[in-house]
Amino acid sequence: MTDRRKPGIILLCCAVFFLACCVPASAGVPGDTDGDTFVSEGELATAIQGYLNATYAGGIGGLDRAALSLAAHNTLNIPYGQIVVAVSSTGDLLQPSYIDGKGVPPGSLIYEGLVTRTNDKDHIGWLATSWEPSADGTIWTFHIPEGATWHDGVPVTASDAVFSYYYLKEKGLKNSGVLKHVTSVETLDDTTVVYYCDCCMPLFADVLATGPGVAIFPEHIWGDIEDPAKQSDPKYIGSGPFKYVSSVSGDSYKLEAYRDYHGTLPYVDKVVRKLYSSQDTRVLALRNGDVDYVYDLAPTTARSLQDKAGIGVTTIPSGGKAYEVAFTCDVYPANITEFRQALSHAVNRDAMCSIIDSSATRATDTVFLVPALAGDQVNEDTNGLYDYDLDKAKTMLADAGFTLKTEDGKNVLYGPDNAPVAITIPLGDKASINKVDEKILLVLREDWETELGIRITVENLQSDSSTYKKRIGETAVHFDGMPRLFHDDISRLDNFQKSPRGHNYYHFDDATFNGLIDDLSNTMDAAERQAIGDRLQVILSEQVPCIPVCSMDSFNAYRSDRFAGFNELILEDGGDINILSHVKPASTEVNG
């Protein structure tokens, strides 16, 4: 491996490495005078000179010995100290069946896929240094770095990528479905692997990164494991920037920087993920200094931390869930397009945002994509077509054969079948977090029931996930809270396609739409893809399989008195491999 140390300054720095104490540093990275969080050779030389002057020549000021040691580690990119991350569930701790279950998420620090995905939808190398598709998108070639090794020192080669594909497929593991369009994988040499697909795959890199992500596993370890459902690798050998050290079942696990990592060495030496049973205990641990990083905070909790000394809060615009009113398009009366269109004018998004959380939500007037996430992929010509207008909703219902009557002082809507219109709305699953579904329902009752005369029955299934998932295919309307992933790219519009595999989430079926999704999946040119995406959004604006309501910001908090660069790294995203590998210690307290 290439020595990452800078020879010209090693002797200058050696004298400070043996010095260690727990004296807190001032704000920012010790030794960094220009605010870029990196201590250059010149800045370190100045700091050393200041220290020597203060210590031996009777001068004043300068860094103390411990802070000077931290500055030297920063300059030479030698890992230093420990960061503790609070997690909310055992699922965020190490799982023995990692290869079979959830793939390799962007937060993995041990295992690597070939690529990962950043917040702005860019793909960056993980294990791969570069990659390129064929002109028709059916062949993808990836290059891995020469000299890369597994955590036990065995070389990583392209053969490991070939093994990983066939192992997933031959063992029938869950993640094999992610690569269903891959027909074969082969090596060109030790650092080049080629994937052959049975169709155009313009977003193959995205599939590898987020679908839920496919890791490359060491053949010399997993080749001897016959039954991955019952056997695993107890040492968790991967190729990532951190390697496994130890764990306490159901409580925590510890990683340390892998000194022979093929990429840039982490600035932090150890990462501990520790389980806390509730958000309150995670936040208390942060405030007490027991942990350094918590994520997915409730908006009110994040606000309570914003003025606390030594704590930074990062707001990720639209980084949480996007909420919507979803129709089941083959269930009466949602099977009537005009009914769906009319109700689109009876959704008071501003009122919903106000009671969900006025400072953390923003109304969405697109047909599905969220502008803060999808950017210029949103077809602006389809925005704002369904403003909140109850009179317009009533007129459109009347034009569609519905009749609004007053009976016993209450509005009652009759359908084309001359029967009162009644819908059942199940509550539960992803939209029930922080009772968002109940808040949406509260506003809808005022408009749909009181004003439009629709009789609403509610089924509370928050504690019965399996029944809820069954019921949403049987009821005309339900609410959903979908992750940001589904609102950030036109490729996600395939959620509305009816395919040979069966119904989509909305039971929506439009032949033109289905064909355009097929065209999109077989188009490599970015401009052509955008044109198809614009047409898809026009169809959604006309057919209204769902009514977007709002998107919610997400919030993370960290010890700003101990680490520098957290805010920028969180916003750039790319998962923990970017955040925890590149955040810099800013205080000698991180050695505690």
Side-chain angles (χ1 to χ4, degrees):
M1 297 294 294
T2 301
D3 192 342
R4 296 174 180 79
R5 299 175 178 84
K6 301 175 179 64
I9 199 169
I10 288 179
L11 292 178
L12 185 62
C13 298
C14 284
V16 298
F17 281 154
F18 73 93
L19 304 171
C21 67
C22 294
V23 180
S26 58
V29 175
D32 171 34
T33 58
D34 60 10
D36 65 356
T37 74
F38 176 74
V39 181
S40 68
E41 293 183 5
E43 288 172 324
L44 180 61
T46 298
I48 293 174
Q49 184 178 15
Y51 169 78
L52 294 175
N53 179 59
T55 304
Y56 300 108
I60 59 173
L63 300 178
D64 59 38
R65 291 183 297 176
L68 189 59
S69 175
L70 171 53
H73 279 80
N74 186 308
T75 303
L76 300 181
N77 193 191
I78 296 176
Y80 179 98
Q82 173 176 282
I83 185 168
V84 181
V85 180
V87 301
S88 59
S89 71
T90 55
D92 292 319
L93 299 176
L94 285 175
Q95 301 297 308
S97 59
Y98 208 98
I99 195 171
D100 186 25
K102 63 180 184 178
V104 56
S108 172
L109 298 172
I110 297 177
Y111 303 106
E112 295 182 296
L114 292 168
V115 295
T116 189
R117 194 171 187 258
T118 63
N119 193 37
D120 60 2
K121 301 190 295 296
D122 190 20
H123 293 93
I124 59 175
W126 203 345
L127 179 57
T129 55
S130 62
W131 55 94
E132 60 273 348
S134 61
D136 63 359
T138 61
I139 302 173
W140 283 75
T141 303
F142 294 85
H143 307 277
I144 63 176
E146 185 175 353
T149 61
W150 298 104
H151 293 160
D152 57 2
V154 175
V156 178
T157 69
S159 294
D160 290 302
V162 174
F163 163 78
S164 298
Y165 166 73
Y166 286 106
Y167 189 87
L168 290 173
K169 184 177 180 180
E170 292 168 3
K171 299 296 182 181
L173 303 182
K174 296 175 183 177
N175 265 355
S176 61
V178 177
L179 300 174
K180 61 179 178 289
H181 291 297
V182 177
T183 57
S184 63
V185 183
E186 68 178 28
T187 63
L188 297 186
D189 52 48
D190 282 349
T191 61
T192 310
V193 59
V194 183
Y195 291 77
Y196 296 91
C197 306
D198 61 10
C199 62
C200 176
M201 293 288 288
L203 298 179
F204 186 60
D206 202 52
V207 170
L208 293 179
T210 63
V214 179
I216 305 302
F217 288 90
E219 181 176 8
H220 70 283
I221 299 290
W222 288 90
D224 294 329
I225 296 177
E226 292 295 328
D227 186 357
K230 297 180 180 179
Q231 302 168 273
S232 189
D233 171 20
K235 296 183 179 180
Y236 298 96
I237 300 298
S239 61
F242 291 89
K243 66 178 183 179
Y244 173 73
V245 175
S246 62
S247 61
V248 178
S249 180
D251 176 79
S252 61
Y253 70 89
K254 178 182 287 189
L255 310 176
E256 69 178 13
Y258 181 49
R259 294 305 201 273
D260 288 322
Y261 182 54
H262 59 82
T264 301
L265 277 176
Y267 288 92
V268 175
D269 186 40
K270 291 180 175 61
V271 174
V272 174
R273 277 194 168 99
K274 184 170 177 60
L275 179 66
Y276 287 85
S277 59
S278 69
Q279 180 174 259
D280 288 342
T281 58
R282 292 192 294 278
V283 170
L284 180 60
L286 179 75
R287 296 182 66 169
N288 290 341
D290 297 326
V291 303
D292 302 298
Y293 178 38
V294 296
Y295 50 87
D296 289 340
L297 293 172
T300 52
T301 302
R303 285 194 289 272
S304 73
L305 293 171
Q306 286 179 334
D307 296 325
K308 296 294 184 291
I311 294 178
V313 176
T314 301
T315 302
I316 306 173
S318 299
K321 285 182 170 56
Y323 295 96
E324 64 186 29
V325 177
F327 293 110
T328 307
C329 296
D330 56 3
V331 175
Y332 178 82
N335 63 335
I336 301 173
T337 301
E338 292 79 6
F339 178 82
R340 303 195 300 268
Q341 291 173 338
L343 263 60
S344 293
H345 289 290
V347 175
N348 191 339
R349 297 172 178 82
D350 290 337
M352 292 174 181
C353 287
S354 178
I355 64 171
I356 292 171
D357 193 302
S358 59
S359 66
T361 58
R362 54 184 54 81
T364 301
D365 65 353
T366 65
V367 296
F368 184 73
L369 301 176
V370 173
L373 303 176
D376 58 8
Q377 294 197 33
V378 175
N379 182 354
E380 294 186 358
D381 291 339
T382 64
N383 292 355
L385 297 180
Y386 294 99
D387 56 325
Y388 175 60
D389 189 332
L390 290 178
D391 289 336
K392 187 180 294 186
K394 293 175 182 178
T395 298
M396 294 177 70
L397 286 170
D399 291 343
F402 292 83
T403 303
L404 184 60
K405 299 181 180 181
T406 301
E407 298 177 354
D408 298 326
K410 295 182 178 180
N411 287 334
V412 179
L413 185 69
Y414 284 81
D417 59 357
N418 295 317
V421 175
I423 61 174
T424 298
I425 300 180
L427 302 181
D429 207 51
K430 293 172 289 185
S432 66
I433 298 174
N434 295 321
K435 298 184 178 180
V436 170
D437 53 0
E438 295 181 17
K439 296 170 184 177
I440 292 175
L441 177 64
L442 183 66
V443 177
L444 279 191
R445 276 193 183 279
E446 189 68 26
D447 293 325
W448 289 16
E449 196 165 49
T450 303
E451 294 293 330
L452 300 184
I454 299 171
R455 186 184 305 159
I456 296 177
T457 302
V458 177
E459 290 183 13
N460 194 326
L461 301 173
Q462 293 176 344
S463 61
D464 189 350
S465 178
S466 60
T467 300
Y468 175 86
K469 291 175 181 177
K470 179 176 181 294
R471 288 293 288 150
I472 62 174
E474 302 170 342
T475 60
V477 176
H478 65 276
F479 308 138
D480 195 21
M482 304 185 86
R484 58 188 299 181
L485 180 68
F486 291 104
H487 295 81
D488 66 354
D489 191 280
I490 55 175
S491 65
R492 309 298 174 182
L493 299 178
D494 64 0
N495 284 301
F496 298 95
Q497 182 189 34
K498 183 176 181 181
S499 69
R501 298 190 301 276
H503 284 300
N504 55 59
Y505 189 73
Y506 310 88
H507 292 200
F508 177 65
D509 185 12
D510 181 278
T512 302
F513 188 95
N514 296 337
L516 286 171
I517 288 292
D518 288 338
D519 292 343
L520 185 67
S521 65
N522 286 284
T523 301
M524 295 292 291
D525 182 78
E528 293 179 18
R529 290 179 58 81
Q530 184 60 58
I532 295 171
D534 287 347
R535 293 175 63 191
L536 288 168
Q537 292 172 75
V538 169
I539 294 174
L540 293 181
S541 72
E542 296 170 345
Q543 298 294 318
V544 198
C546 72
I547 307 171
V549 173
C550 65
S551 59
M552 177 175 281
D553 299 337
S554 65
F555 302 89
N556 296 355
Y558 57 93
R559 294 294 308 203
S560 58
D561 56 348
R562 294 178 177 175
F563 294 94
F566 241 126
N567 195 59
E568 295 78 6
L569 290 166
I570 291 172
L571 291 174
E572 290 173 4
D573 207 356
D576 285 354
I577 191 166
N578 270 359
I579 298 171
L580 300 181
S581 291
H582 298 128
V583 66
K584 296 183 177 70
S587 166
T588 56
E589 286 186 356
V590 301
N591 263 338

